[in-house]
Amino acid sequence: MGDIVALDALAAEVKSGMKIAIPADYCGVAMAATAAILANRPRDLHVVCVPVTGMQGDMLIGAGLVGTIETSAVTLGEAGGAPRFIDGVRRGAFRLMDATCPAVHSGLIAAQKGVPFLPIRGIIGSDLLKTRTDWRIIDNPFAPDDPIVVVPAIQPDIALFHAPEADRFGNVRIGRRRELVTMAQAARATLVTVERIVETSLLHDENSAAGVLPALYVDKIAEGAGGGGGGGVGGGFWGERGAKTPHTRRPPPPPPWPIGLWGEYPADPAEIARYAAMARTPEGFAAYVDGFSRRLTEAA
Amino acid sequence: MGDIVALDALAAEVKSGMKIAIPADYCGVAMAATAAILANRPRDLHVVCVPVTGMQGDMLIGAGLVGTIETSAVTLGEAGGAPRFIDGVRRGAFRLMDATCPAVHSGLIAAQKGVPFLPIRGIIGSDLLKTRTDWRIIDNPFAPDDPIVVVPAIQPDIALFHAPEADRFGNVRIGRRRELVTMAQAARATLVTVERIVETSLLHDENSAAGVLPALYVDKIAEGAGGGGGGGVGGGFWGERGAKTPHTRRPPPPPPWPIGLWGEYPADPAEIARYAAMARTPEGFAAYVDGFSRRLTEAA
Amino acid sequence: MTVVADTVRDYSARELLIASIADLLDGVRHVAVGASSPIPAAGAMLLRARNESRGRERVRISILGSQEHNFFTNGGVELFDCAAQGRVDAFFLGGGQIDGEANINLVGTGPYPKTDVRWPGCFGSAFLYFVVPRVILFREEHSPRVFVDRVDYVSAPGTSEGVTRRGGPSALLTGLALFSFDPARKRFTLKSVHRGATAAEVRAQTGFDYDAPAEVPQTPAPDAATLELLRGRVTRELAETYPQFADTLRGERAAA
Amino acid sequence: MTVVADTVRDYSARELLIASIADLLDGVRHVAVGASSPIPAAGAMLLRARNESRGRERVRISILGSQEHNFFTNGGVELFDCAAQGRVDAFFLGGGQIDGEANINLVGTGPYPKTDVRWPGCFGSAFLYFVVPRVILFREEHSPRVFVDRVDYVSAPGTSEGVTRRGGPSALLTGLALFSFDPARKRFTLKSVHRGATAAEVRAQTGFDYDAPAEVPQTPAPDAATLELLRGRVTRELAETYPQFADTLRGERAAA
């Protein structure tokens, strides 16, 4: 529970055929772990996006690791559509489980509560129901003539995200990103990369405890305080930060760069745009990934 | 939204026939508001205990205000059984909706999510199902031969609790007592008494924001920083505290005394035991309430 | 020429959209806006400022994905729970395609799943369209490829029968015109065309049939007080979250 | 007489219960305990201390309602969710009545709802009994009024057929004896009687039928190392949450 390990050991937990849940960009995305997973090349992953994804999901697709993607959207935001996703859709490169945000949350909450399904309003009349044959319509048992959608529990094998800090007891600060609690409780195992490990228990103070995922739900944590990748590439923020706070405690840095981290630093839109441009072709994508991994390795 | 009012104005929101949700003792119990409600004498309240109650529920029952009680337990803890509840059960003085803790949570979560019901494991074979005819058994739509209980949404008219602090914008600190979030979101209106009002927004700091119920879900807040009731009665803590921090800002103090408040001060077991002894008879209960209200008024 | 007339004539196309949105939001207390929707956000901020100046009801604005303008504390699910509770009065939806029955398509064109053009996905539309009372459809591009007779994929249906639903489309605002929607008749009605556009042009650029009065009025110009608020306080507020967009607004104004 | 023998003889009745609970919990990684259950809490703390001294698996203890020994951060629902996820290995339930099929009654005696005797209520029993793999029934009072042939009210059933269930009763510990439970046969078996009690006395004080070996062994006394841990570290840990109970333990020991 809450073991602090090297990034490689964390990434090695993601194995072929697993169902892996990843958060939206505003929740903390484990990009260094993603690079390490890309290097490991597990196949036929079932990626559950909570409830959407961006560059992380697109990279997993581009590397050919995704057998199924279950998501309410894939987008690079201001940088436009996700090129490897769009290309994969056209080619039918993976099983596509289009969803709608609250249905993803409800599926995870069902797993969190140990129930086989949760009801959800809306959706009826959407074409989602034509292909999401795992969603059903039942009669509301409490009112006549009231059909309602039920979605099955989503139990990921792995939940993977990035957070500002963990304590050495394995507790992780998640702030008000409470979908991370749901993901972790729903998943069989939770992997977290963090900016830093602190010595004092995050549960020690009653106010601080409110925004903490307890170690009970956390399997492995990898630490890296800045220093990753960005120096000279895409400009600015991350590189500067890395330079100002040299990492001394543990070698492998798991930065979420170029995705931002709430309460810590913004995204690097220039780098995401560079990815969007390069990933338009498989070759460009491969070149990007090569450079991405290399920058992380050099930073380590 | 989040209007800061006098205790009487807050208590006046609780009207005859309403469904009112109250938390367990460890979550912050609005005892001064309860005294004010006792004075107002609304009738035929449907009290939903989230998921259990103690002295607060027993006092509402003793005053004859309760038409229905929906609860997983009523107990004074170390002080023993709740005398007015036990007496009322024997006399059939109210409609009794025995429950089990997670079913109460599920009913509130259903209301929070705007769905008519939530499924829940267990319960089948319990005699609860014989009298909770509002709970049903349906077939799990995702597996054969798998009956499962569904409980209907619980939408209180009012959620009422006590918290350490609110800011002047109406945001309330609830720490890790997250059932208070569920109660407030499920309810049509939420009334909160607090120890103190602070000037800085509780949402200002990202870490502090994690334990905050936003003003959007809060209708009325009444403030009172200590000073209530306990001086010379049941000894000690509260009275001392009141003396040390004289209240200057707003007159009516809404202390949760003799129930404790998380992160602030413990319960007063001697006073709860005194209540338990006096409330054995209707006359003793009336005398207790009279003294209780008088102490609160004098403190105001 | 009076000052007021001057002011009223000198507004940019985007200012008209923002002012129209503020009008469409009139009466709401809580409006949620997507993080990358500066025009709807500007309209909501304009309403908030105008209500304050007129002593009317307070308007809360939730900008999703924003850290500063997001008072939610219960994670990504809170918007949907909040809407389901009836606490979100208005929301904006767009669509790669929108048809005459107000069905919206956020998925793609051509046969699913191997769509020819693929857009990001449904997001929360299949839920929010059902529970938010006043959904404003907003799409600047007004062309037959957006406004189609029948969407290729229904991300969220404009209307429902025999299904619990308390929300849905109330209006469609485009770069050319403003439509209202009648769910009972499953039909849009053209309410007004913006300055510079004609009813005939709107008809030609719209792939679905709709009702229209014999004389289609022009979308009302923002009044002087509204423009003043928009160019002052609202632009300053916008700059905090959408700095580029605020610059664009200022630039267009200078050119107007 | 050796020191070890001395130690083994000099234990209080409560120390035996605590040591028996530690044995019953052997192998668990996470045990939840009610706030007003000092003996189960002591048993769990004893297991935790013993495992540490033996280099065995770490034991987590959640004391419900406690602020200090509660690492939950998701509100009162978290215990139930956590148990439903299979992350709570053991829990304790009692009952005003417990019958021979391990049905428990936490509600009252006589016809419901106007019960003659009313207890607090079901709490979470109707759920936790189904999802926690190892539920230990614990009731110090061993009398025919507690251990009845058939409970007046089933708060939670001991067994289920045709219903998804992965938890249930594994043992019954009382002030007189220890029973195991076989859900397939819906029947208790007497495993041992505590020092000073006899099998016949247990039979007389139990209102339900159960199996028993011809020779009923005595409940094993705590070994010296266990008692040392219990009297040292565990009592100190207990004192933080249950100061009165820790004093009582110390007092009984002095009198033993």
Side-chain angles (χ1 to χ4, degrees), chain B residues 147-242:
Chain B
I148 186 167
V149 171
V150 288
V151 297
I154 299 171
Q155 183 173 37
D157 296 298
I158 301 271
L160 170 67
F161 63 87
H162 185 78
E165 62 188 9
D167 64 31
R168 63 186 182 83
F169 311 101
N171 304 298
V172 177
R173 180 181 304 288
I174 52 89
R176 43 178 170 154
R177 275 67 189 173
R178 297 203 70 81
E179 53 266 66
L180 299 176
V181 173
T182 307
M183 272 172 64
Q185 290 195 15
R188 291 193 175 86
T190 293
L191 311 177
V192 186
T193 60
V194 295
E195 294 286 309
R196 56 190 170 269
I197 307 274
V198 299
E199 292 300 312
T200 310
S201 169
L202 295 174
L203 293 177
H204 182 71
D205 170 61
E206 193 59 31
N207 284 338
S208 143
V212 172
L213 174 70
L216 175 67
Y217 306 101
V218 180
D219 290 79
K220 290 193 161 47
I221 299 171
E223 178 199 19
V233 183
F237 193 89
W238 179 268
E240 282 164 25
R241 187 168 180 284

Side-chain angles (χ1 to χ4, degrees), chain A residues 26 51-52 71-75 78 81 85-86 89-92 96-102 105-106 109 120-129 131 145-147 175-179 261-264, chain C residues 36 65-68 70-77 80 107 112-128 130-131 150-157 159-160 162-165 244:
Chain A
Y26 51 76
V52 300
T71 189
S72 306
V74 186
T75 170
E78 288 177 18
F85 168 69
I86 291 170
V89 164
R90 265 196 218 105
R91 293 186 297 109
L96 182 58
M97 296 174 74
D98 267 293
T100 185
C101 305
H105 292 300
S106 288
I109 293 168
I120 179 172
R121 284 296 184 195
I123 302 177
I124 298 174
S126 164
D127 282 344
L128 284 168
L129 279 172
T131 46
D145 304 322
D146 185 23
R176 44 179 169 152
R177 276 67 190 173
R178 296 203 71 82
E179 53 267 66
L261 180 61
W262 54 271
E264 300 274 328
Chain C
S36 50
S66 148
Q67 190 166 313
E68 286 184 324
N70 179 351
F71 58 75
F72 288 145
T73 60
N74 204 31
V77 78
F80 306 104
V107 162
Y112 186 89
K114 298 192 192 180
T115 39
D116 308 320
V117 173
R118 169 72 202 203
W119 300 310
C122 295
F123 289 99
S125 65
F127 181 79
L128 292 172
F130 286 76
V131 296
R150 178 74 194 170
V151 293
D152 289 4
Y153 185 98
V154 179
S155 289
T159 60
S160 304
V163 170
T164 295
R165 179 169 190 163
Q244 274 192 298

Side-chain angles (χ1 to χ4, degrees), chain B residues 213-296:
Chain B
L213 174 70
L216 175 67
Y217 306 101
V218 180
D219 290 79
K220 290 193 161 47
I221 299 171
E223 178 199 19
V233 183
F237 193 89
W238 179 268
E240 282 164 25
R241 187 168 180 284
K244 267 185 277 182
T245 57
H247 179 72
T248 51
R249 195 192 142 127
R250 194 176 299 266
W257 176 83
I259 311 299
L261 180 61
W262 55 269
E264 299 274 329
Y265 42 81
D268 181 344
E271 176 68 10
I272 297 172
R274 202 173 74 87
Y275 170 79
M278 287 185 73
R280 275 189 209 128
T281 64
E283 298 72 28
F285 172 78
Y288 183 88
V289 168
D290 187 52
F292 189 74
S293 302
R294 199 143 23 78
R295 284 198 302 280
L296 291 175

Side-chain angles (χ1 to χ4, degrees), chain A residues 149-199:
Chain A
V149 171
V150 286
V151 297
I154 299 171
Q155 182 172 38
D157 296 299
I158 301 272
L160 171 67
F161 62 88
H162 185 78
E165 62 188 10
D167 64 31
R168 63 187 181 85
F169 311 101
N171 304 299
V172 177
R173 181 180 303 288
I174 52 89
R176 44 179 169 152
R177 276 67 190 173
R178 296 203 71 82
E179 53 267 66
L180 300 176
V181 173
T182 306
M183 271 171 64
Q185 291 195 14
R188 291 194 175 84
T190 293
L191 311 177
V192 186
T193 59
V194 295
E195 293 287 309
R196 57 189 169 271
I197 307 273
V198 298
E199 291 301 312

Side-chain angles (χ1 to χ4, degrees), chain C residues 4 87 91 112 118 149 157 163 173-174 189 216 218 254:
Chain C
V4 170
R87 296 187 215 259
F91 191 70
Y112 186 89
R118 169 72 202 203
D149 186 50
V163 170
L173 181 68
T174 78
T189 298
V216 180
Q218 188 177 303

Side-chain angles (χ1 to χ4, degrees), chain C residues 46 66 85 122 141 181:
Chain C
L46 177 56
S66 148
Q85 293 154 27
C122 295
E141 177 183 339
F181 185 73

Side-chain angles (χ1 to χ4, degrees), chain D residues 31-55:
Chain D
V31 50
V33 183
S36 50
S37 306
I39 291 178
M45 288 172 177
L46 178 56
L47 178 73
R48 178 172 63 186
R50 196 162 64 186
N51 276 13
E52 271 181 37
S53 72
R54 294 178 183 174

